[in-house]
């Protein structure tokens, strides 16, 4: 939190000097960012913040939008929906056009509700919610909102990618997920796609665990082993993911781990060498993607972050967000949230790796390419000094994740 | 059977780790009446110290040095902090240690960062000791059991066979009387507090690489340790031991048994369907609430037996 404030203060000073007062006179486009910056999931928020600052720095160096710079204003929400709503209040009080949040679909659900109400009541001070990682499927289906834009694939899409990545010889799987909106969403979608795409696969165990409470997963491993599962499928993130795989590696279980979040900060450290060729992650980006497809520019951008920070760069999706903002603000020729939201619909942007992406108009869900990475030795960029890193084992193009939606969006009246 | 044996071993390891943490706290709480919120912070500091030291001179020196450092910090806290605050009563002490816990967490975040540090099991112990029904039992877990058993023995001998131990025991049950007999009770307080934090530090050294060393580890470990202390009872080391092992086993076995209240009712011929009142609660399986069981047990024991399992005084 403190660090975050220092960062923004520092960036503020840098801009002020660079723009020679010019930037100050014009003001900046403020993006409120709220995520856990303290508490058990602080590592997640902190890693996001550092990567976003790096990206904003780059986007601003490229000219920002309409001659204005973007500015990130962090708010700690301690993983609590109520604190996220306080952040929303502060953001709207200061007339910020955007609020961004990544971790926790329960928080996202509260934010969507809060943003809807605020925008209804204050037509001249609206705010757009940029969702950078809360992926419960409901958020763009039953709960979909005109003011909510999601820049990560939702659980249904990720689950389909995960199920498609299951090798043919795997016929027994075990599911472990966190007991809240997101985890239950993963549980449902994975079972749904297993039934549709791999009817030969048998779910031998299906478990929900309390969020962030378990310190030792060895008992679960005992149970998983006894079930005869060949693969463990999990949507767990943060300590719940790290400790789970660590326990599995320690027990020497003959398992493959299919995860959504093993590649994020802290994951590789917890997995260690024991996870060689066993752990897979359904991910939006990995540091080895750029060298593998021979994109020198993207590689240099990624490496620039690595040179500055001790951990890996995993947030290519965040760069896509700011490129969308840049394009939408320019297209709308305004910083008015309603105009930007309209400009964002059906907008198409080539992401920095060179793949096509699109912001779907019907449900405001991004459609982008996705990767399946496997954690192994002998890659160009190792992860967190473990000697192992994420090699791409499959690339799924945007058109292949374009699942239908059930969104009935309430659009603002023409006024 | 297979699941039972492996779970038993895992439960023992976890229970012994809990005991290392709780034994220090139970001594401090029963002797000084201080509910030390910063106790789990000492556990975290132990892990971080051990990580830093092991980078330079290896794990084995760290095993000694890190707890000693924690003990010194504990002595400092008691002498220059708690002793002053003590005059303002228990509430002040409680708030003092609570603030301290938050400060230590922030301090750790600022020193070592928010991400987990790669504190690993020493190579000498990084091998599977034996295989039981195809599941490896890491040698390091056996080492943890050994250390905690040694520690239990040392505390027990120290408390029952040495002069200072007898004075501590006297102060445990009759603090006012011990002081009236002319023993330097404040010095004993410092000693106990330092020893307690050193034990927590030792638990951190061997628990930090068994779990993950990260700034939230104190926060996740803290509440369960309090449960153990309250459950075991004030002033009783053996109560604390039994409670630790029990909590370790309960948490481990709760995961293994996929049963719910609905299953229990079914035995009596009562079938729960989705239209039954409270069906949501009745069908929740044990593993989903396993982590909450210790807290449920604490509530129950506070209601029905406020002095704890083997406590000598009311909480």
């Amino acid at each position: 939190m403190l660090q975050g404030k220092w960062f923004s203060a520092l960036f503020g000073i840098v801009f002020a000097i660079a723009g020679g007062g010019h930037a100050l006179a014009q003001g900046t486009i403020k993006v409120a960012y709220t995520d856990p910056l303290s508490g058990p999931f602080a590592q997640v928020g902190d890693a996001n913040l550092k990567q976003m600052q790096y990206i904003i720095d780059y986007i601003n160096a490229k000219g920002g939008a309409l001659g204005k710079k973007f500015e990130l204003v962090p708010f700690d929400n301690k993983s609590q929906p109520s604190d996220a709503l306080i952040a929303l209040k502060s953001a709207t009080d200061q007339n910020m056009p955007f609020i961004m949040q990544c971790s926790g679909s329960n928080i996202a659900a509260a934010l969507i509700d809060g943003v809807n109400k605020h925008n209804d009541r204050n037509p001249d001070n609206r705010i757009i919610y940029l969702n950078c990682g809360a992926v419960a499927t409901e958020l763009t289906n039953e709960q979909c909102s005109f003011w909510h834009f999601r820049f990560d694939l939702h659980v249904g899409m990720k689950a389909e990618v995960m199920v498609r990545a299951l090798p043919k010889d795997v016929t027994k799987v075990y599911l472990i997920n966190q007991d809240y909106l997101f985890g239950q969403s993963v549980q449902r979608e994975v079972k749904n796609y297993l039934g549709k795409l791999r009817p030969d696969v048998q779910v031998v165990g299906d478990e929900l665990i309390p969020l962030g409470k378990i310190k030792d997963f060895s008992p679960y491993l005992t149970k998983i082993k006894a079930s005869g599962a060949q693969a463990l499928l999990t949507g767990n993130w943060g300590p719940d993911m790290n400790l789970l795989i660590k326990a599995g590696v320690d027990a020497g279980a003959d398992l493959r781990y299919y995860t959504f979040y093993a590649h994020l900060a802290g994951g590789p450290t917890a997995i260690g060498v024991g996870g060689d060729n066993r752990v897979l992650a359904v991910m939006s980006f990995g540091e080895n993607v750029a060298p593998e497809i021979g994109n020198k520019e993207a590689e240099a951008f990624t490496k620039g972050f690595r040179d500055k920070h001790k951990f890996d760069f995993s947030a290519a999706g965040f760069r896509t967000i700011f490129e969308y903002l840049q394009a939408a603000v320019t297209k709308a020729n305004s910083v008015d949230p309603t105009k930007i939201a309209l400009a964002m619909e059906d907008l198409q942007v080539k992401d920095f790796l060179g793949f096509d992406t699109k912001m779907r108009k019907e449900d405001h869900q991004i459609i982008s390419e996705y990767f399946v990475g496997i954690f192994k030795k002998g890659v160009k960029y190792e992860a967190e000094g473990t000697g192992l890193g994420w090699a791409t084992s499959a690339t799924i193009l945007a058109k292949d994740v374009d699942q239908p939606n059930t969104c009935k969006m309430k659009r603002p009246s023409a006024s | 059977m297979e699941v039972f044996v492996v779970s038993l071993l895992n439960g023992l390891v976890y229970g012994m780790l809990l005991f290392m943490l709780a034994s220090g706290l139970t001594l401090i709480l029963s002797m000084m009446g201080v509910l030390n919120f910063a106790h789990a912070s000492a556990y975290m500091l132990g892990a971080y110290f051990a990580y830093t030291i092991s980078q330079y001179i290896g794990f084995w020196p760290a095993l000694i040095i890190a707890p000693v450092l924690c003990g010194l910090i504990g002595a400092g806290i008691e002498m220059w902090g708690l002793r002053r605050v003590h005059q303002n009563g228990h509430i002040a002490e409680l708030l003092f240690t609570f603030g301290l816990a938050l400060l230590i967490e922030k301090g750790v975040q600022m020193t070592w960062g928010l991400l987990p540090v790669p504190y690993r099991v020493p190579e000498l112990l990084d091998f599977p000791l034996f295989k039981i029904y195809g599941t490896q039992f890491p040698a390091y877990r056996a080492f943890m059991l050994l250390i905690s058993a040694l520690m239990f023995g040392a505390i027990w001998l120290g408390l029952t066979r040495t002069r200072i131990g007898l004075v501590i025991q006297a102060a445990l049950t009759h603090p006012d009387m011990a002081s009236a007999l002319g023993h330097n009770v404040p010095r004993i307080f410092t000693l106990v507090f330092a020893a307690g934090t050193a034990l927590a530090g030792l638990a951190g050294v061997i628990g930090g690489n068994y779990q993950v060393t990260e700034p939230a580890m104190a926060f996740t470990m803290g509440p369960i340790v309090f449960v153990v202390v309250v459950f075991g009872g004030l002033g009783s080391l053996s109560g604390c031991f039994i409670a630790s092992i029990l909590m370790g086993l309960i948490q481990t076995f709760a995961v293994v048994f996929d049963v719910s209240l609905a299953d229990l009712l079914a035995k009596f011929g009562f079938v729960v369907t989705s239209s039954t009142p409270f069906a949501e609660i009745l069908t929740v399986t044990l593993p989903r609430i396993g982590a909450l069981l210790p807290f449920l047990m604490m509530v129950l024991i506070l209601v029905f037996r406020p002095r704890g399992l083997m406590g000598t005084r009311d909480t």
Side-chain angles (χ1 to χ4, degrees):
Chain A
M1 182 67 184
L2 202 61
Q3 221 171 6
K5 276 194 180 146
W6 271 108
F7 257 111
S8 27
L10 197 70
F11 273 94
I13 293 166
V14 170
F15 295 151
I17 297 168
H22 187 64
L24 270 181
Q26 282 195 323
T28 51
I29 304 174
K30 288 193 170 133
V31 180
Y33 168 65
T34 179
D35 252 345
L37 301 172
S38 64
F41 295 111
Q43 37 166 303
V44 181
D46 185 62
N48 285 348
L49 190 59
K50 290 200 171 106
Q51 299 182 76
M52 263 177 217
Q53 290 289 9
Y54 176 70
I55 289 162
I56 286 200
D57 208 10
Y58 173 84
I59 296 281
N60 285 337
K62 285 214 145 191
L66 299 183
K68 295 185 186 196
K69 311 272 184 199
F70 287 100
E71 184 190 343
L72 201 63
V73 187
F75 294 94
D76 182 10
N77 68 23
K78 309 181 192 82
S79 297
Q80 296 299 325
S82 53
D83 286 88
L85 291 176
I86 294 172
L88 173 65
K89 183 86 182 64
S90 316
T92 50
D93 282 351
Q94 297 173 54
N95 265 318
M96 298 187 191
F98 304 109
I99 183 162
M100 182 144 68
Q101 182 265 353
C102 305
S103 312
S105 291
N106 52 338
I107 299 173
L111 268 181
I112 289 180
D113 197 40
V115 167
N116 283 346
K117 281 184 186 143
H118 172 84
N119 288 352
D120 277 352
R121 290 170 194 162
N122 305 278
D124 47 351
N125 173 24
R126 284 170 168 161
I127 189 164
I128 294 177
Y129 167 30
L130 306 166
N131 176 350
C132 46
V135 292
T137 317
E138 296 88 330
L139 300 178
T140 46
N141 280 334
E142 292 86 345
Q143 273 217 47
C144 73
S145 155
F146 177 77
W147 304 107
H148 166 239
F149 289 87
R150 172 148 60 192
F151 287 92
D152 193 5
L153 294 195
H154 66 56
V155 171
M157 299 168 170
K158 289 187 180 196
E160 185 179 345
V161 172
M162 184 188 264
V163 169
R164 284 189 191 279
L166 272 185
K168 287 278 165 266
D169 57 330
V170 170
T171 53
K172 285 183 172 176
V173 300
Y174 203 101
L175 314 185
I176 286 194
N177 288 296
Q178 291 153 323
D179 198 358
Y180 79 113
L181 185 59
F182 162 72
Q184 290 162 3
S185 185
V186 176
Q187 182 190 34
R188 196 170 49 243
E189 297 290 352
V190 168
K191 276 200 282 199
N192 175 22
Y193 283 100
L194 277 175
K196 270 188 203 160
L197 303 169
R198 293 292 301 275
D200 59 311
V201 171
Q202 185 194 351
V203 178
V204 290
D206 180 9
E207 197 117 33
L208 289 171
I209 58 151
L211 179 66
K213 286 246 165 24
I214 293 174
K215 286 131 242 158
D216 184 6
F217 276 92
S218 324
Y220 287 93
L221 259 299
T222 314
K223 212 171 152 187
I224 294 169
K225 265 196 76 73
S227 74
Q230 295 159 291
L232 177 64
L233 274 51
T234 177
N236 286 12
W237 54 282
D240 287 335
M241 208 283 317
N242 298 346
L243 292 171
L244 173 62
I245 297 190
K246 193 175 153 82
V249 171
D250 278 352
D254 187 19
L255 275 175
R256 284 165 76 89
Y257 305 86
Y258 289 81
T259 70
F260 284 173
Y261 295 117
H263 60 296
L264 294 190
T269 304
I271 301 165
V273 231
D276 185 20
N277 253 322
R278 284 188 179 282
V279 184
L280 289 95
V282 174
M283 56 192 196
S284 63
F285 178 71
E287 284 185 313
N288 291 306
V289 172
E292 278 164 0
I293 60 171
N295 186 333
K296 286 271 185 312
E297 202 195 325
E299 187 178 349
F301 176 77
T302 314
K303 199 166 168 295
F305 182 83
R306 181 76 88 113
D307 293 342
K308 272 194 210 159
H309 297 279
K310 274 186 291 184
F311 60 94
D312 315 359
F313 182 80
S314 56
F318 296 167
R319 180 164 158 179
T320 313
I321 297 179
F322 283 97
E323 281 168 347
Y324 265 94
L325 290 190
Q326 215 178 2
V329 170
T330 313
K331 187 174 155 197
N333 196 21
S334 160
V335 286
D336 175 53
T338 316
K339 287 182 185 153
I340 298 174
L342 288 168
M344 201 111 82
E345 293 189 316
D346 272 341
L347 194 61
Q348 299 192 18
V349 169
K350 243 191 200 344
D351 70 6
F352 80 126
L353 290 167
F355 290 95
D356 292 323
T357 70
K358 181 182 163 188
M359 177 52 71
R360 240 175 10 191
K361 187 178 178 184
E362 315 91 80
D363 60 345
H364 292 188
Q365 162 71 48
I366 199 169
I367 307 295
S368 70
E369 86 283 2
Y370 234 67
F371 305 96
V372 179
I374 182 159
F375 192 57
K376 63 178 206 180
K377 288 189 180 123
V379 293
K380 184 159 182 186
Y381 293 105
E382 57 168 8
E384 297 180 355
T386 48
L388 288 74
W390 300 95
T392 313
S393 71
T395 305
I396 293 92
L397 295 178
K399 61 180 169 54
D400 296 322
V401 292
D402 202 348
Q403 295 175 355
N405 66 82
T406 60
C407 170
K408 291 185 190 69
M409 193 178 286
K410 204 178 131 226
R411 309 174 66 82
S413 46
S415 64
Chain B
M1 185 62 199
E2 160 186 354
V3 171
F4 180 79
V5 173
V6 179
S7 297
L8 191 70
L9 279 171
N10 283 330
L12 266 183
V13 172
Y14 187 52
M16 287 304 262
L17 184 69
L18 276 182
F19 171 68
M20 292 183 81
L21 258 172
S23 56
L25 188 65
T26 201
L27 284 181
I28 292 170
L29 179 60
S30 37
M31 203 169 156
M32 307 168 62
V34 180
L35 190 58
N36 180 15
F37 271 103
H39 197 71
S41 306
Y43 166 74
M44 175 163 72
L45 279 180
Y48 273 100
F49 284 155
Y51 161 69
T52 307
I53 296 169
S54 63
Q55 279 186 314
Y56 296 102
I57 49 177
F59 174 78
W60 302 104
L63 189 62
I64 310 285
I65 300 173
V68 171
L69 278 178
C70 287
L72 288 178
I73 291 177
I77 290 172
E78 207 284 330
M79 280 199 293
W80 293 303
L82 266 183
R83 202 173 288 181
R84 280 163 198 261
V85 180
H86 185 68
Q87 295 151 0
N88 303 325
H90 282 331
I91 297 289
E93 286 174 335
L94 198 80
L95 291 174
F96 174 74
T97 57
F98 187 66
L100 210 59
L102 294 177
L103 279 179
I104 293 176
E105 188 182 321
K106 265 288 171 226
V108 164
Q109 286 180 357
M110 282 152 90
T111 318
W112 284 281
L114 289 165
L115 297 176
V117 294
Y119 175 32
R120 296 207 174 279
V121 169
E123 269 178 38
L124 188 64
L125 290 170
D126 197 9
F127 64 94
L129 188 63
F130 55 84
K131 261 195 163 189
I132 179 157
Y133 303 110
T135 301
Q136 292 171 6
F137 190 73
Y140 192 72
R141 289 191 183 203
F143 172 74
M144 288 173 70
L145 278 178
L146 178 77
I147 290 280
S148 40
L150 282 179
M151 197 201 76
F152 181 55
I155 297 185
W156 187 76
L157 281 179
L159 279 181
T160 54
R161 295 286 183 272
T162 62
R163 198 181 121 74
I164 188 82
L166 292 178
V167 177
I168 290 176
Q169 273 201 315
L172 271 177
T173 46
H174 303 85
D176 299 334
M177 198 60 195
S179 137
L181 282 172
H183 292 290
N184 188 348
V185 174
R187 206 177 64 197
I188 297 171
F189 276 10
T190 311
L191 185 77
V192 169
F193 200 88
T197 23
L199 287 180
L202 181 63
V205 177
I206 65 168
N209 46 6
Y210 159 71
Q211 299 182 340
V212 174
T213 304
E214 39 133 8
M217 63 193 287
F219 176 79
T220 48
M221 208 62 174
I224 182 82
V225 176
F226 282 116
V227 173
V228 168
V229 169
V230 173
F231 196 85
L234 280 188
S236 163
L237 204 60
S238 21
C240 173
F241 181 75
I242 294 173
S244 309
I245 299 292
L246 201 64
M247 294 299 164
L249 291 178
I250 285 178
Q251 288 209 323
T252 313
F253 278 99
V255 168
V256 182
F257 294 115
D258 262 320
V259 291
S260 63
L261 282 175
D263 296 333
L264 191 71
L265 290 174
K267 286 232 163 75
F268 300 102
F270 183 82
V271 178
V272 175
T273 59
S274 54
S275 57
T276 317
F278 307 116
E280 284 274 316
I281 294 175
L282 292 175
T283 50
V284 165
T285 54
L286 200 51
R288 273 176 80 176
I289 54 157
L292 299 178
L293 282 182
F295 300 98
L296 178 70
M297 291 177 65
M298 178 172 79
V299 171
L300 289 180
I301 203 143
L302 279 175
V303 171
F304 294 109
R305 194 181 156 84
R307 59 178 47 189
L309 214 51
M310 301 178 75
T312 45
R313 278 180 292 155
D314 279 351
T315 312

